[in-house]
Amino acid sequence: MLRATTLSGFVELQERAISDLRKRLSGPLVVCGDAGYDEARTIWNRMIDRRPALIARCAGTDDVVTALRFAREHGLLISVRGGGHNVTGNAVCDGGLMIDLSPMKSAHVDPRRRRMTAEPGLTWKDFDTATLRHGLATTGGIVSSTGVAGLTLGGGHGWLMRKHGLACDNVSAVDVVVADGRCLRASADENPELFWGVRGGGGNFGIVTSFEFQLHPLTTVLAGFLLFPRSQARDVVDLFREQAPRAPDDLTLGVLFTTWHDGRPVMAVVLCHSGAIEDGERLVQPFRELGTPIIDAVRPMAYAELQTMFDATNPPGAWYYKTGYLDGAAMEGDRFVETLLQHCDFPSPSPLSRVYIEHLGGAMGRVAPDATAFVHRKAPFDLIVIAGGFEASATEANIGWARDTSAAMRPFMSGAAYVNYLGADAGADAVKAAYGPAYDRLVKLKDTYDPENVFRLNQNIRPEPLIL
Ligand SMILES: Cc1cc2nc3c(=O)[nH]c(=O)nc-3n(C[C@H](O)[C@H](O)[C@H](O)COP(=O)(O)OP(=O)(O)OC[C@H]3O[C@@H](n4cnc5c(N)ncnc54)[C@H](O)[C@@H]3O)c2cc1C
């Protein structure tokens, strides 16, 4: 017998039930003690150490349906794992059934129609490899090991968002296994309300087993970073605040406060220009003229190279995020820069810890706020305080630094956040603010497709009436 966590307590699972499930699945069912159990429950954020009773490593949609039906039959708590990158660790449950989609990696590109059909186990590295072979790409995560599924379902920021919209804006259809085990197609024509909800509402409504993406021609970009000493931070932030709002859609900027590998406190302007290289060079020039950057690593490069450029500084390890959208008006004065600099007093507790300001707007900002469940279309910038890569003994210092920095920046924030960046300690109010004006409509959708809140290990939209 195996003791497992249910939605309301515990259940003893009979050996026979487990072996029946094992027989019905095409992919492996992994139980504590099996070879590969620890590997399967380990995700990118190594602070998460949860032990599912069962892990269904799904080989396809039939496995997803089988695993979900088994969980429903026994009332089990479930978690859904795509790329396993979400910092909250929601991909892994303690004691329940983890539905692991990471083996589902099929990718089919139709270059003529510029479409990609993607299974939910793909990472952005897998995705870009498949599409760039045809000179095509779409907006995707900037660290290549991030999962396509979780990122897209929450919205999906990336270097191309100001030109082509969010990752979810480029989805034309999905296949979803909903809580009662039905497989539904959702698109503008079929189950349109579900289609609205899965583009920004995360994994609240079902398990997406296939995405259809729209692709765009792309091979080379002008991209990279300019590294400046911290002493130049004020000028760099001033120029960033001046240039970002007037940047063309081809240009996405970012400002990063971090520690260089020799321990120097530095800052960087990071960027991608996906239009004509000469136009990009002209737009970068004012940053180059700011002084003498320590490193000027902006150059024409394959988009594939850019998409792996930040992998090395985002390895698996201990990570903690605090985040929120910046309020454009509040960040105009000197106090914004002063507060930022005071708290970016690197070296921070860990050398991988950093503060990042992300440049939003452009095409993603022109999508109507009610067209998808991702509503924060007008937010100009996003701020992420990232504590990362620290030893267990330094957890308190790193998390404390991230919390203090984020609290100090609160006067400059709008109060809402991008749902995919919310950390594990985001409370119900923060989650509600992340869904913003879409929340009530999302609750109705949850009532329709998941009234018992089977899909609850996520930034949860609670059905009415509340079921605990
Ligand atoms: C290093 C790093 C870089 C990042 N960079 C970016 C970035 O550039 N842009 C950006 O927008 N975000 C970025 N993020 C945030 C990222 O979007 C989220 O962490 C996202 O949840 C990751 O998706 P995943 O599939 O890897 O995660 P997982 O942890 O596997 O999944 C997260 C949640 O998504 C849901 N889910 C996953 N797959 C499915 C599915 N098929 N069906 C239904 N629900 C599902 C589940 O609720 C699950 O708990 C980054 C995160 C990290 C750690």
Side-chain angles (χ1 to χ4, degrees), residues 44 80 82-86 90 101 142 147 150-151 157 203 206 208 321 418 420:
W44 176 81
V80 177
H85 253 246
N86 197 282
N90 279 331
L101 309 171
I142 68 168
L151 181 140
H157 292 181
V208 175
Y321 285 14
Y418 171 33
N420 272 350

Side-chain angles (χ1 to χ4, degrees), residues 21 73 115 124 138 141 173 184 212 261 271 295 321 361 385 402 459 462:
L21 174 62
E73 199 181 312
R115 296 281 156 144
W124 284 102
T138 203
L184 302 179
E212 188 180 280
H261 53 72
L271 64 98
I295 294 176
Y321 285 14
V385 182
Q459 299 303 351
R462 294 184 188 187

Side-chain angles (χ1 to χ4, degrees), residues 76-152:
L76 300 179
L77 175 70
I78 64 159
S79 65
V80 177
R81 183 200 198 274
H85 253 246
N86 197 282
V87 74
T88 61
N90 279 331
V92 198
C93 54
D94 249 334
L97 170 63
M98 174 174 165
I99 299 181
D100 179 5
L101 309 171
S102 62
M104 294 172 62
K105 279 187 181 286
S106 109
H108 179 258
V109 179
D110 179 342
R112 201 181 49 79
R113 289 175 62 234
R114 293 183 182 161
R115 296 281 156 144
M116 157 89 150
T117 307
E119 278 198 323
L122 295 179
T123 62
W124 284 102
K125 170 101 178 204
D126 302 323
F127 189 103
D128 289 336
T129 303
T131 63
L132 288 169
R133 204 173 287 144
H134 302 279
L136 297 167
T138 203
T139 307
I142 68 168
V143 174
S144 76
S145 51
T146 311
V148 169
L151 181 140
T152 303

Side-chain angles (χ1 to χ4, degrees), residues 5 31 65 70 152 187 207 210 218 271 292 299-300 330 374 381 383 395 420 442 454:
T5 307
V31 181
V65 174
F70 180 87
T152 303
S187 67
I207 303 175
S210 177
L218 184 70
L271 64 98
T292 316
R299 58 184 166 77
F374 183 99
F381 302 102
L383 182 121
T395 303
N420 272 350
L442 287 165
V454 171

Side-chain angles (χ1 to χ4, degrees), residues 193 196 205 438-451 461-464:
E193 191 65 4
W196 169 82
F205 311 106
Y439 191 76
D440 291 345
R441 188 171 162 190
L442 287 165
V443 171
K444 285 204 182 83
L445 194 63
K446 185 79 171 173
D447 289 345
T448 305
Y449 288 103
D450 185 19
I461 295 155
R462 294 184 188 187
E464 298 282 359

Side-chain angles (χ1 to χ4, degrees), residues 11 32 38 56 88 191 199 210 252 266 304 306 328 339 344 417 451 466:
V11 67
C32 179
D38 283 332
T88 61
N191 300 301
R199 291 173 298 154
S210 177
T252 302
V266 291
L306 173 65
T339 312
C344 293
L466 176 67

